[in-house]
Amino acid sequence: MTHPDDELGARTSENVINSILSRSYEMYEDFESCQPEGLAFHGDELSNLPLFEEEDKLCLMHRDAHFSGSFPVMKEYYENPEAKGAIEEIDLERIELLENIQKGMKTDLAPLLITGPDAEKVALSKQMYKELSALCEKDPLSPEGMLSAAILSEDDVDQIVEHAPASLLQKPEMLLLLATSELFCDPLFPGYGTASLLAIRLLGKMKYEPALQDLFALIGRRDFSTESAVLEALRKMGAPAKKFAMDRLSSFPLTGDHERAALVLIEFLPDDEITDLFLKILADARMTNSKLRRYLNLGVETSCDK
């Protein structure tokens, strides 16, 4: 029999993880006008070095969000270019340069460069790290604890998906929240921008059909890796995903959903039913969408080649 205190603890963990996964932030463009235009250093060889490039601000934001504000820790991490959180826009030489500038100034550069919404994003990322870590410690074997650990893991997504414990898959609705989160696609936040990709891969592994419509809506709105994962997940869902996409493609007037549906259906080729539908849409006088026409022609050609 479950003790009432245990039930309360489980509900609390679920509420916490759902709160984390549901968060969002807003950016305000007018903050750009408040940014300083430059910074001069006097009395040393660093005089008049321009700092306010986007990569410098990005570097400092990542340092504060992921590496506790430590340049040495960040440098050690970036010595491995294959590290999960290393991003192309930041290079080791620039990290070292900013560290030397900061030493020369004897003051933290972050408050000079990170202001307004950017500072709020960093603060939110650090808070989420604390909350996810607390969940790992409090309920390490619960679905919430397992998901928190997966988000914080330095393992790549393929490894996590391959070795995912059963408890991580017990609450697919929680995974769907993560999959559709815009915040967890941002490299500034826990998971280095891969957490939503992880959730999509896990939903595909489960063949979780209730996620079908929400995953469909992500096509064309994320990066190439995430979109590929979405298409793979929908293909794994099989007949329900195929029918959903065929119904969308068959309807008029034409919308962006038709392009998404065509991309989903290409995943199922060769398939005579899908090829016939592509040919039918191509022959329809109402078919004026050039991008959709390219997708449909690609599908027909793919069917002929296989």
Side-chain angles (χ1 to χ4, degrees):
M1 180 176 179
T2 303
H3 191 277
D5 288 344
D6 293 334
E7 293 179 354
L8 178 60
R11 287 198 300 272
T12 301
S13 294
E14 183 173 1
N15 290 340
V16 170
I17 193 70
N18 286 343
S19 172
I20 294 171
L21 301 182
S22 300
R23 287 177 191 162
S24 61
Y25 60 84
E26 294 181 356
M27 299 296 290
Y28 300 93
E29 294 182 1
D30 57 352
F31 271 95
E32 293 298 321
S33 61
C34 300
Q35 292 281 11
E37 293 181 358
L39 181 63
F41 298 87
H42 301 286
D44 58 29
E45 68 275 16
L46 300 174
S47 180
N48 297 318
L49 177 69
L51 272 180
F52 293 97
E53 299 177 11
E54 198 64 26
E55 67 181 53
D56 299 325
K57 182 171 69 173
L58 181 65
C59 180
L60 289 168
M61 291 175 71
H62 277 251
R63 182 203 67 175
D64 286 4
H66 297 302
F67 306 104
S68 302
S70 171
F71 275 127
V73 174
M74 188 177 189
K75 284 195 302 181
E76 182 178 359
Y77 192 88
Y78 269 79
E79 285 173 356
N80 175 16
E82 302 301 318
K84 184 176 183 178
I87 60 174
E88 292 182 1
E89 294 87 347
I90 297 175
D91 62 64
L92 187 58
E93 290 183 1
R94 195 67 182 182
I95 296 172
E96 293 175 341
L97 176 60
L98 290 173
E99 181 182 30
N100 289 332
I101 292 171
Q102 180 167 284
K103 287 178 180 177
M105 292 184 64
K106 295 182 173 59
T107 187
D108 187 4
L109 293 177
L112 298 172
L113 294 182
I114 307 172
T115 60
D118 291 329
E120 292 174 5
K121 284 178 65 176
V122 172
L124 178 57
S125 176
K126 292 165 70 174
Q127 179 63 27
M128 289 169 61
Y129 265 113
K130 291 179 182 178
E131 293 174 348
L132 291 169
S133 296
L135 277 175
C136 290
E137 295 176 6
K138 178 182 178 182
D139 296 309
L141 300 181
S142 68
E144 294 80 14
M146 288 286 185
L147 182 58
S148 298
I151 293 171
L152 296 175
S153 173
E154 290 292 332
D155 292 338
D156 64 38
V157 171
D158 289 341
Q159 288 178 298
I160 299 173
V161 172
E162 182 180 354
H163 301 291
S167 57
L168 182 56
L169 308 178
Q170 286 178 5
K171 294 185 177 179
E173 65 280 0
M174 187 171 66
L175 293 174
L176 184 55
L177 262 181
L178 178 57
T180 56
S181 168
E182 293 294 332
L183 190 147
F184 278 97
C185 294
D186 190 325
L188 188 68
F189 289 91
Y192 309 108
T194 68
S196 288
L197 172 62
L198 168 64
I200 292 166
R201 295 279 305 277
L202 289 171
L203 289 167
K205 181 177 182 178
M206 298 170 61
K207 302 179 181 180
Y208 185 61
E209 292 178 18
L212 197 161
Q213 188 162 348
D214 288 315
L215 294 184
F216 180 84
L218 294 180
I219 299 172
R221 296 193 170 98
R222 297 280 177 87
D223 59 31
F224 177 78
S225 296
T226 306
E227 183 166 301
S228 296
V230 168
L231 293 172
E232 180 183 1
L234 294 175
R235 176 174 52 78
K236 288 181 177 180
M237 292 177 192
K242 173 186 168 182
K243 181 181 185 306
F244 179 87
M246 290 189 71
D247 288 345
R248 289 296 176 97
L249 187 59
S250 300
S251 64
F252 281 88
L254 299 178
T255 68
D257 276 358
H258 288 72
E259 297 169 17
R260 298 184 183 95
L263 289 173
V264 172
L265 292 172
I266 287 172
E267 293 291 311
F268 289 90
L269 295 173
D271 182 293
D272 290 342
E273 189 178 14
I274 293 174
T275 302
D276 289 345
L277 177 59
F278 280 14
L279 291 170
K280 178 181 177 182
I281 301 296
L282 284 168
D284 195 305
R286 295 172 292 178
M287 221 301 290
T288 57
N289 183 315
S290 59
K291 182 183 289 188
L292 177 58
R293 184 179 297 278
R294 288 199 302 272
Y295 292 159
L296 297 177
N297 281 324
L298 174 63
V300 173
E301 292 170 6
T302 300
S303 295
C304 293
D305 292 341
K306 292 184 178 180

